[in-house]
């Protein structure tokens, strides 16, 4: 089958929801982070602010059927000598460009029935585009291998791993009680057994929340009290408000609070997409009670809720650690490795990266600053 790759405009991007989400259902791409709602909201928020050049590629089968999407953009940075390094990024992350929300499981969206041929068509198109390196940030092993299989046959690239981080996914198709029994004694106490104290002595309850604006304000307030700064700046608030307004179909917000004696003491920001629930953020009153770990207790309620819904297969804690420890490992889930990789195409940059391995750290830092690496 012959595929046609077209560069789509921003106007086409914002009008693509129906066909984008239909393709997403036919693909192995992540149902939240690679959804039209997330990607369009991200681009709407940061595309112009960061002066990015959209390179949204659509792959079409005969009959004008959309079978592949590569939501990319180009950015350029200048070296001190005036040479511009052109970088290709996936929409959703702005590596070394500016603060945005974190987009995980990044990749391309292709119909799984013709995956390899569609990836090759995308790779052939990208071989004709002028760029020096591609940044793939926070990709899982599966999405990384898909991207590499499409690029490797048409481009000679060097692969440089820039960072790695771990996440945890909790399978929820079994029994909640079985999951609890696998937890360590201390984690089980914090996540479940302390409910007796919370619900009884403290008159506590787990409640759903419906109003995004007030919820995001609560989340920021708790973060300011605990971390000294909000978790979402003004742009991130605008992004999440846009995202929550765009969720549709199998996507839905799952905002919840813990309330004790009519006082909100914890908030949890989850989103369901497809058959998975994603834990995006949490905030709580740090010194509420010396026998309660409100964050862990709140997660226990949310995880139980996912176990009770037979259509949900997992609760995803995503990447990142807590304030003091990598607390997510105590939830007895499956570990996911997220990798940020540079695929270097420019011969000059390849030499610069190769030379760094033989140089002292101070000189390496100078090369990094020169090439904006």
């Amino acid at each position: 089958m012959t595929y046609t790759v077209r560069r789509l405009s921003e106007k086409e991007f914002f009008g693509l929801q129906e066909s984008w989400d239909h393709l997403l259902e036919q693909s192995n791409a992540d149902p939240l982070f690679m959804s039209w709602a997330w990607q369009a909201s991200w681009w709407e928020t940061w595309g112009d602010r960061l002066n990015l050049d959209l390179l949204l590629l659509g792959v079409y089968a005969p009959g004008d059927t959309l079978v592949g999407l590569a939501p990319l953009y180009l950015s350029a940075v200048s070296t001190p000598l005036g040479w511009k390094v052109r970088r290709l990024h996936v929409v959703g992350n702005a590596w070394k460009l500016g603060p945005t929300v974190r987009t995980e499981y990044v990749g391309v969206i292709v119909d799984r029935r013709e995956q390899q041929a569609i990836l090759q068509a995308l790779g052939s198109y990208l071989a004709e585009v002028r760029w020096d390196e591609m940044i793939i940030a926070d990709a899982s092993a599966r999405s990384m291998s898909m991207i590499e299989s499409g690029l490797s046959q048409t481009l000679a690239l060097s692969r440089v791993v820039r960072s790695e981080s771990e996440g945890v996914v909790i399978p929820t198709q079994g029994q909640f009680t079985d999951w609890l029994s696998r937890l360590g004694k201390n984690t089980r106490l914090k996540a479940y057994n302390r409910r007796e104290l919370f619900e009884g002595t403290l008159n506590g309850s787990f409640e759903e929340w419906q109003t995004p604006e007030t919820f995001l304000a609560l989340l920021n307030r708790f973060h300011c009290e605990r971390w000294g700064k909000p978790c979402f700046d003004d742009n991130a608030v605008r992004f999440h408000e846009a995202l929550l307004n765009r969720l549709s179909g199998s996507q839905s917000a799952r905002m919840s609070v813990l309330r004790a004696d009519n006082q909100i003491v914890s908030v949890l920001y989850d989103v369901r997409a497809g058959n998975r629930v994603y834990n995006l953020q949490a905030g709580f009153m740090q010194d509420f009670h010396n026998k309660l770990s409100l964050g862990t207790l709140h997660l226990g309620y949310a995880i139980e809720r996912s176990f009770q819904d037979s259509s949900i297969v997992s609760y995803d804690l995503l990447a990142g650690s807590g304030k003091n420890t990598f607390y997510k490992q105590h939830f007895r889930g499956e570990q996911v490795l997220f990798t940020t990789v540079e695929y270097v195409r420019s011969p000059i940059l390849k030499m610069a990266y190769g030379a760094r391995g033989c140089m002292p750290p101070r000189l390496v830092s100078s090369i990094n600053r020169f090439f904006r690496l």
Side-chain angles (χ1 to χ4, degrees):
M1 187 178 296
T2 302
Y3 297 103
T4 302
V5 182
R6 298 205 303 261
R7 182 174 182 174
L8 305 178
S9 68
E10 184 175 273
K11 181 179 180 180
E12 289 174 303
F13 186 179
F14 288 117
L16 207 57
Q17 179 177 9
E18 184 176 349
S19 54
W20 184 306
D21 286 343
H22 176 73
L23 173 62
L24 190 63
E25 292 176 356
Q26 311 303 315
S27 77
N28 294 321
D30 187 80
L32 174 61
F33 294 109
M34 298 311 299
S35 69
W36 178 86
W38 187 282
Q39 294 275 305
S41 299
W42 192 97
W43 185 258
E44 180 181 67
T45 306
W46 286 287
D48 287 339
R49 286 182 176 86
L50 296 177
N51 194 30
L52 310 178
D53 182 16
L54 183 66
L55 185 67
L56 174 60
L57 303 180
V59 184
Y60 293 85
D64 210 33
T65 301
L66 183 67
V67 293
L69 280 166
L72 308 171
Y73 67 86
L74 287 159
S75 69
V77 295
S78 296
T79 68
L81 294 182
W83 178 52
K84 285 191 174 182
V85 179
R86 289 172 59 84
R87 291 193 173 117
L88 197 58
H89 304 251
V90 180
V91 172
N93 284 314
W95 186 79
K96 291 199 172 184
L97 294 175
T100 73
V101 297
R102 187 173 189 173
T103 300
E104 302 174 35
Y105 297 105
V106 299
V108 293
I109 309 165
V110 297
D111 190 317
R112 65 176 68 91
R113 295 168 295 186
E114 298 290 337
Q115 181 172 293
Q116 195 56 42
I118 297 167
L119 289 170
Q120 289 175 7
L122 283 169
S124 297
Y125 187 97
L126 288 173
E128 302 301 318
V129 177
R130 187 169 67 86
W131 51 275
D132 299 304
E133 58 183 7
M134 175 185 285
I135 313 297
I136 306 296
D138 286 325
S140 65
R142 183 172 69 177
S143 57
M144 192 73 72
S145 65
M146 285 179 58
I147 292 168
E148 290 178 356
S149 68
L151 296 176
S152 61
Q153 297 188 26
T154 53
L155 293 162
L157 303 173
S158 296
R159 187 179 191 270
V160 181
V161 176
R162 296 308 299 261
S163 67
E164 293 180 330
S165 60
E166 289 185 353
V168 171
V169 178
I170 301 169
T172 59
Q173 287 187 296
Q175 296 296 317
F176 178 65
T177 52
D178 292 339
W179 173 74
L180 281 177
S181 68
R182 293 194 297 271
L183 299 180
K185 181 180 178 181
N186 192 44
T187 304
R188 186 164 56 250
L189 177 70
K190 293 177 179 179
Y192 184 78
N193 292 346
R194 287 298 191 198
R195 288 187 188 181
E196 183 177 354
L197 167 66
F198 177 68
E199 296 177 2
T201 306
L202 301 174
N203 193 28
S205 60
F206 170 78
E207 303 174 9
E208 295 184 27
W209 194 270
Q210 301 298 330
T211 312
E213 296 80 7
T214 54
F215 183 84
L216 295 172
L218 279 170
L219 187 54
N220 268 345
R221 191 191 81 194
F222 281 124
H223 267 254
C224 285
E225 292 172 356
R226 186 166 187 237
W227 300 88
K229 61 180 181 180
C231 62
F232 298 139
D233 63 17
D234 290 344
N235 289 331
V237 169
R238 280 191 284 271
F239 162 82
H240 283 287
E241 289 176 348
L243 169 70
L244 293 169
N245 285 328
R246 286 187 167 116
L247 295 176
S248 62
S250 67
Q251 306 161 346
S252 60
R254 288 196 165 198
M255 300 173 290
S256 62
V257 302
L258 294 186
R259 195 187 298 269
D261 284 327
N262 209 33
Q263 178 187 19
I264 295 173
V265 296
S266 178
V267 294
L268 197 67
Y269 179 18
D270 292 348
V271 171
R272 175 179 178 169
N275 58 10
R276 178 174 293 202
V277 174
Y278 301 79
N279 174 227
L280 296 183
Q281 267 296 349
F284 53 86
M285 191 178 297
Q286 187 169 5
D287 300 318
F288 172 67
H289 195 285
N290 61 5
K291 288 188 176 181
L292 289 179
S293 176
L294 285 173
T296 304
L297 183 70
H298 202 157
L299 281 171
Y301 281 106
I303 292 166
E304 181 181 23
R305 182 185 179 193
S306 293
F307 270 98
Q308 291 170 342
D309 188 336
S310 61
S311 65
I312 294 174
V313 302
S314 60
Y315 187 91
D316 199 329
L317 295 171
L318 300 174
S321 59
K323 188 174 184 179
N324 300 310
T325 63
F326 183 52
Y327 70 92
K328 297 175 184 179
Q329 66 183 333
H330 301 302
F331 283 87
R332 295 295 190 267
E334 299 169 353
Q335 289 193 326
V336 180
L337 182 67
F338 295 97
T339 309
T340 295
V341 176
E342 282 180 271
Y343 296 99
V344 187
R345 185 184 189 187
S346 161
I348 297 174
L349 287 176
K350 286 181 182 179
M351 287 191 296
Y353 278 113
R356 291 191 316 171
C358 308
M359 295 179 178
R362 187 172 297 179
L363 191 52
V364 169
S365 297
S366 298
I367 291 176
N368 288 347
R369 287 194 299 271
F370 182 83
F371 287 107
R372 302 291 192 266
L373 300 180

